[in-house]
């Protein structure tokens, strides 16, 4: 079982990242909550990981905070929720905000996350509400840096990332274009688009 990786960040394109650990490149999928706080390429990063093996595939997921990994695992215990939807939840809301939505019983806000319908949101409330108080916590494992390079086309990167999170093409484009401001990175566009989607 791989529980944690520490190495050099050599690639990031939501939701995939690659970390070089002593010459071995580990490909992971990560929620946007982790992407927002990743250092620039070439810097060291330490991630909590979740290893998942299915009949036809093996996947590795990475999280800057152990609280994110715990929520990712708890979400998948809810009937009808797999890894893709769990990543979408963590990309759409912070761990603390998700806990607040559960405690408030806000089904409407939960259904704005792609892949979550009313029945699934209600199941989440029933099955996870008692755990909500324990979802908090931080534990970021790197020193933040500034001056990260801006991708050649942040808008296109943001649109692709939103589609991979479950939004349809036209909707992803509309969300990204509405959220974009001059000079924004892809991560900034995605963050604003997801926040706006939850409040629509």
């Amino acid at each position: 079982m791989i529980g944690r990786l520490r190495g050099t960040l050599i690639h990031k394109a939501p939701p995939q990242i690659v970390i070089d650990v002593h010459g071995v490149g580990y490909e992971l999928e990560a929620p946007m909550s982790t992407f927002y706080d990743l250092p620039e390429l070439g810097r060291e990063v330490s991630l909590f990981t979740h290893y998942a093996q299915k009949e036809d595939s093996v996947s590795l997921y990475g999280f800057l905070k152990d609280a994110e990994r715990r929520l990712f695992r708890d979400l998948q215990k809810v009937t009808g929720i797999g890894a893709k939807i769990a990543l979408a939840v963590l990309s759409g809301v912070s761990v603390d905000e998700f806990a607040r939505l559960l405690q408030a019983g806000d089904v409407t806000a939960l259904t704005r996350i792609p892949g979550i319908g009313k029945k699934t949101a209600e199941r989440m409330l029933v099955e996870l509400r008692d755990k909500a108080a324990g979802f908090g916590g931080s534990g970021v494992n790197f020193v933040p840096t500034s001056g990260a390079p801006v991708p050649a086309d942040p808008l296109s990167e943001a649109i692709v990332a939103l589609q991979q999170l479950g939004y349809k093409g036209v909707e992803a484009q509309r969300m990204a274009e509405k959220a974009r401001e001059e000079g924004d990175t892809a991560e900034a566009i995605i963050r604003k688009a997801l926040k706006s989607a939850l409040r629509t």
Side-chain angles (χ1 to χ4, degrees):
M1 177 69 75
I2 301 171
R4 190 171 179 180
L5 283 177
R6 182 169 141 186
T8 304
L9 181 65
I10 60 173
H11 175 76
K12 55 178 179 177
Q16 277 88 30
I17 58 177
V18 179
I19 298 178
D20 183 301
V21 182
H22 303 299
V24 178
Y26 288 87
E27 185 176 278
L28 308 94
E29 287 192 50
M32 289 311 303
S33 53
T34 284
F35 263 88
Y36 297 144
D37 292 324
L38 285 174
E40 60 189 88
L41 296 180
R43 299 298 294 259
E44 184 177 89
V45 66
S46 178
L47 295 178
F48 294 99
T49 59
H50 174 79
Y51 178 85
Q53 184 170 354
K54 298 180 181 178
E55 290 182 9
D56 57 349
S57 66
V58 172
S59 301
L60 194 60
Y61 301 91
F63 311 88
L64 278 171
K65 302 173 184 177
D66 189 39
E68 293 176 334
R69 180 175 65 174
R70 290 199 311 269
L71 178 53
F72 178 78
R73 289 172 170 172
D74 283 339
L75 281 165
Q76 291 182 77
K77 294 175 185 175
V78 177
T79 305
I81 294 183
K84 185 173 182 178
I85 293 178
L87 281 180
V89 170
L90 282 164
S91 295
V93 294
S94 68
V95 175
D96 290 337
E97 188 173 357
F98 181 74
R100 284 195 296 273
L101 293 177
L102 286 182
Q103 290 168 335
D106 196 339
V107 172
T108 303
L110 291 171
T111 57
R112 293 189 187 119
I113 298 169
I116 296 181
K118 186 176 180 183
K119 288 184 179 179
T120 302
E122 289 170 347
R123 278 198 300 269
M124 288 165 68
L125 288 178
V126 171
E127 297 181 35
L128 297 177
R129 197 177 221 164
D130 291 342
K131 297 181 179 180
F135 284 152
S138 54
V140 176
N141 293 299
F142 75 99
V143 177
T145 59
S146 58
V150 177
D153 187 1
L155 179 63
S156 294
E157 189 176 335
I159 292 170
V160 170
L162 289 168
Q163 287 176 306
Q164 291 179 336
L165 289 172
Y167 291 98
K168 294 181 180 178
V170 174
E171 187 180 14
Q173 183 170 350
R174 178 190 59 76
M175 289 168 62
E177 288 177 346
K178 185 177 178 182
R180 179 184 60 170
E181 293 180 18
E182 189 67 34
D184 276 350
T185 61
E187 286 86 357
I189 295 171
I190 296 163
R191 184 199 296 261
K192 288 188 287 187
L194 290 171
K195 280 188 176 180
S196 177
L198 280 177
R199 288 163 175 75
T200 300

